[in-house]
């Protein structure tokens, strides 16, 4: 058990971070930023959304396009979540440990993210279909976070010209070396605190479509 713990905490995080960097340095990135979101001169806090199966290279993208602005992501309290947290930390990404469920840890993580956004301490990123799916379905957590904080959602779409797909619930994507990664930071989607069910469905559909 101690050997497995040492491997999980001391060996895999630096190895995982190294492999992500090595892979990303082979990729060709094509960026579209119609909303002028990625601009180091801006101090606004943003609420980014991207699909769970594109999470692999997100820490690298943060370092490349958003640093030095702090970034906080919600990561589950599972053993796999612990490994993801340790890898993310090596890219300067902080974690709010919890989930989109109504558990006490999930609520604590949610309140922390609201505070981060309201106090303009940095950016927040969520996977609206994580951590357990269904794939490409928008959970209400990101909608509630936008309403509670007053910060609009920015869909971040990410498409790979060549990739592998794992046999997991989300069809986890790994870009093949030397492929092209097309990124788009779409225009912000504001979620009013007072919104009809019909309007909310339309905004949710827009978010789903822009995530690609």
């Amino acid at each position: 058990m101690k050997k497995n713990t040492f491997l999980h905490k001391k060996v895999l995080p630096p190895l995982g971070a190294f492999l992500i960097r090595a892979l990303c340095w082979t990729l060709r990135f094509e960026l579209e930023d119609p909303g002028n979101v990625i601009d180091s001169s801006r101090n606004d806090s943003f609420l980014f959304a991207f699909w769970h199966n594109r999470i692999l290279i997100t820490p690298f993208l943060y370092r490349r396009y958003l640093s030095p602005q702090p970034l906080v992501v919600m990561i589950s309290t599972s053993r796999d979540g612990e490994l993801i947290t340790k890898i993310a930390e090596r890219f300067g990404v902080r974690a709010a440990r919890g989930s989109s469920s109504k558990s006490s840890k999930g609520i604590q993580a949610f309140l922390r993210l609201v505070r981060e956004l309201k106090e303009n301490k940095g950016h927040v990123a969520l996977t609206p279909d994580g951590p357990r799916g269904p794939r490409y379905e928008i959970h209400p957590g990101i909608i509630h976070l936008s309403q509670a904080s007053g910060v609009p959602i920015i869909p971040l779409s990410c498409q790979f010209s060549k990739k592998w797909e794992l046999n997991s619930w989300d069809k986890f994507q790994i870009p093949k070396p030397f492929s092209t990664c097309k990124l788009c930071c779409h225009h912000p989607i504001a979620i009013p605190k007072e919104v009809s069910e019909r309007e909310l469905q339309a905004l949710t559909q827009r978010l789903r479509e822009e995530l690609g």
Side-chain angles (χ1 to χ4, degrees), residues 67-79:
S67 184
Q69 275 283 71
L71 178 68
V72 180
V73 298
M74 181 177 283
I75 301 177
S76 73
T77 55
S78 66
R79 183 176 173 84

Side-chain angles (χ1 to χ4, degrees), residues 8 11 17 34 74 77 83 92 107 118 120 123 129-130 162 189 212:
H8 209 74
V11 177
M74 181 177 283
T77 55
L83 176 59
I107 294 174
K118 278 189 170 183
N120 202 29
H123 305 312
D129 59 343
K162 297 179 181 179
I189 300 176

Side-chain angles (χ1 to χ4, degrees), residues 12-25 55-64 66-71 83-94:
L12 292 181
L15 177 60
F18 170 78
L19 292 176
I20 291 172
R21 286 192 178 96
L23 171 62
C24 288
W25 282 118
I55 200 172
L56 179 66
I57 67 170
T58 303
F60 180 87
L61 296 178
Y62 156 73
R63 293 291 294 179
R64 178 166 180 152
L66 296 175
S67 184
Q69 275 283 71
L71 178 68
L83 176 59
I84 294 172
T85 297
K86 295 297 183 184
I87 293 176
E89 287 174 351
R90 293 180 174 271
F91 291 88
V93 178
R94 296 176 291 147

Side-chain angles (χ1 to χ4, degrees), residues 24-86:
C24 288
W25 282 118
T26 72
L27 302 178
R28 178 188 175 191
F29 291 97
E30 295 180 358
L31 175 66
E32 295 182 13
D33 186 18
N36 196 30
V37 171
I38 300 176
D39 183 350
S40 59
S41 66
R42 297 180 62 169
N43 294 318
D44 313 57
S45 286
F46 295 127
L47 174 54
F48 291 100
F50 55 91
W51 292 131
H52 192 273
N53 61 10
R54 319 296 164 87
I55 200 172
L56 179 66
I57 67 170
T58 303
F60 180 87
L61 296 178
Y62 156 73
R63 293 291 294 179
R64 178 166 180 152
Y65 294 114
L66 296 175
S67 184
Q69 275 283 71
L71 178 68
V72 180
V73 298
M74 181 177 283
I75 301 177
S76 73
T77 55
S78 66
R79 183 176 173 84
D80 288 342
E82 178 67 21
L83 176 59
I84 294 172
T85 297
K86 295 297 183 184

